[in-house]
Every structure is written in C-alpha cells, then in structure tokens.
Amino acid sequence: MATDKTRAVGVDIGGTGIKAAIVDLEAGTLLSDRIKVATPAGAEPKDVLAAVLKVLETLGVLDDAIPLGVAFPAIVKSGRTLSAANVSQKWIGFEAERFFEEGLGRDIHFANDADVAGVAEMRYGAARGVGGLTILTTLGTGIGSAMIYNGVLVPNSELGHLQRAKHGKDFEAFAAYSAMERDALDWNEWAKRLQVYYSHVEFLFTPDLFIVGGGVSKHADSFLPLLKLNTPIVPAVHRNNAGIIGAAALALD
Ligand code: BGC
C-alpha cells in the first residue's frame, strides 16, 4: 500500500498536452486517473502555470503536501529553462523552477521531459538492470532523448536537435510523430525517416539499447519491426506515462 513516502505527483508538460497523475513510487504505477489538458496555444509561462494549477485541482492535490515533480520540454539546468523548441521563446533563460514554485506555493522538482521518462524506464521499465548505454527517445511534438550509462542519467542530451546532413535542419522536424501527422505519412513512410535518424544516432553512440517513448509508442508494433538496426529497440514499458512516473520519482529523490 502506497504511503506518503512512496507517493508523489508527476506532471508532464509537453508541446501538445499537459498530463498528470498520482504515482506509486514503489511499483512505478499510477494510483489515480491520468488527467490531461491541452497545452495552451503559444505555451507562455503564465498560461502553462494556469493549466498546471487546473490539472492539480482536478487531481485533488492542489493544497496537498504530496511531493510534486514537473517535467518540461526544454533544456533544464539548475532550475532554469535554456531552450524553447515547441514552446514560447519566453522560456529561454527563464527561472522556471522558481516560477512554478511561487505559482504553486510549494517546492517542486523540475527537469527535462525526456530525461524523466528515461529515469522511469530505468527504475521501473525497459532499462531496468540494463548495463552500458541506453538511449530513450520520445517521439511526439518533438524528439526528446535521455542517455543513461550504467544506471546514471547524463541529462539534457537533446538528440532530437541533431542536424540532418545536407539539410541543415533538426531531425525532430523530419522524424518526430508530429512530422508523420503533418506530412500525412503512413507507417512505412515514417519508418524510412526513423531509419535514417536511428542509424545516425546508432553510429554516433553505439548504444546497447534504444527505448521508444511518447504517445505513439502504443503503436510500436506498426513501426519498430520495420527498422533495421544493430541495437535492440523496444517500446517504453510505461508508454506515454513514463514522463509522469519519472517526474514523480524525481520529486522524492
Ligand atoms: C526539446 C527537448 C524535449 C523534446 C521532447 C525538444 O524539442 O528541445 O528538450 O525533450 O522536444 O519534448
């Protein structure tokens, strides 16, 4: 039975949606329904904060002392957001952790969204007990990445922003799930783009395991078997909940 020492709330802010739940940190499972609202258009700090407040209110934990972790789709260093690929430019160089702490009236743990998904899969999922280098990528609005070497997270790897040779553009604009939707690709067409991307990452890092997260990972059977890599590639055990679970897990650390 989860107690106050083993429960935390995870909030996963994405380019498209904001998701949250209460998490059992012993089991790495959700103890509540998953609440989801759309990320406000433009994703400006004050609007995102208002949406997070709404989500916490719906969860019934607004005034609760339960630990809270918040994940965000940007480089996060010492509580500051240093990039803004799919959110307002106002987040660049912004004291985001402090902003959320003041707005929510409580301490939080704040980190990159893909990094926390990597932590969740390391503690409770596909990377549990895996040695060497695991690279988790989330395929969503952007491409997020988490690099875990022998159980230690190397934060802010940002492998979605590797540049495509000759094109000078980010891989995430070409191979994220949003690119599949934007260009109305079928699974085969999208898998060809993923093949270019994962082959490149594989060549650069020679990982021991690739994990694929993000909402589309629930359809992993439709595209992962189409990829030809030397590295095993598996869906995140916690699919699109990995961000929520990882954010909550870090809140108690
Ligand atoms: C951001 C990353 C984020 C990823 C997934 C990228 O555009 O730069 O920080 O992890 O999207 O949300």
Side-chain angles (χ1 to χ4, degrees):
M1 169 91 188
T3 65
D4 279 353
K5 290 225 163 55
T6 60
R7 284 182 334 140
V9 174
V11 178
D12 184 8
I13 300 170
T16 310
I18 299 176
K19 306 178 284 286
I22 302 171
V23 176
D24 178 337
L25 297 175
E26 279 181 339
T29 51
L30 303 195
L31 286 169
S32 70
D33 284 345
R34 188 173 86 149
I35 309 295
K36 186 170 178 186
V37 299
T39 303
E44 300 231 349
K46 64 175 179 12
D47 298 334
V48 172
L49 172 63
V52 171
L53 280 163
K54 195 165 148 224
V55 158
L56 295 179
E57 191 181 5
T58 311
L59 263 183
V61 294
L62 200 50
D63 301 313
D64 208 310
I66 183 168
L68 172 61
V70 178
F72 194 80
I75 298 170
V76 177
K77 189 103 179 156
S78 306
R80 292 175 79 210
T81 38
L82 300 183
S83 65
N86 297 301
V87 289
S88 155
Q89 299 296 301
K90 289 190 179 153
W91 294 95
I92 298 176
F94 187 66
E95 293 286 352
E97 183 167 43
R98 195 191 307 156
F99 174 76
F100 279 111
E101 288 187 336
E102 285 171 7
L104 301 174
R106 64 207 283 177
D107 283 348
I108 63 164
H109 186 96
F110 188 71
N112 173 265
D113 58 350
D115 281 344
V116 305
V119 168
E121 289 295 313
M122 173 171 80
R123 294 197 187 169
Y124 313 106
R128 199 172 177 170
V130 174
L133 179 63
T134 295
I135 297 182
L136 171 138
T137 53
T138 58
L139 302 174
T141 314
I143 296 181
S145 63
M147 295 181 79
I148 295 158
Y149 186 67
N150 284 342
V152 176
L153 173 75
V154 181
N156 293 313
S157 49
E158 293 292 333
L159 301 185
H161 295 286
L162 285 170
Q163 303 265 300
R164 288 172 64 203
K166 294 190 213 127
H167 295 82
K169 294 214 174 103
D170 287 0
F171 262 107
E172 77 169 16
F174 171 70
Y177 179 59
S178 59
M180 180 189 187
E181 291 187 306
R182 182 195 61 217
D183 297 340
L185 306 178
D186 64 24
W187 294 115
N188 275 301
E189 290 166 326
W190 188 45
K192 282 187 190 143
R193 297 190 183 188
L194 293 175
Q195 180 70 52
V196 181
Y197 177 62
Y198 284 110
S199 294
H200 186 54
V201 176
E202 181 176 61
F203 171 74
L204 291 177
F205 297 103
T206 319
D208 296 281
L209 177 66
F210 278 123
I211 303 176
V212 178
V216 74
S217 60
K218 63 174 176 278
H219 301 297
D221 288 350
S222 302
F223 64 97
L224 289 189
L226 304 176
L227 301 179
K228 291 189 180 44
L229 298 161
N230 298 316
T231 311
I233 183 162
V234 298
V237 167
H238 297 286
R239 303 293 198 265
N240 211 16
N241 289 338
I244 296 175
I245 295 169
L250 286 173
L252 254 195
D253 278 3

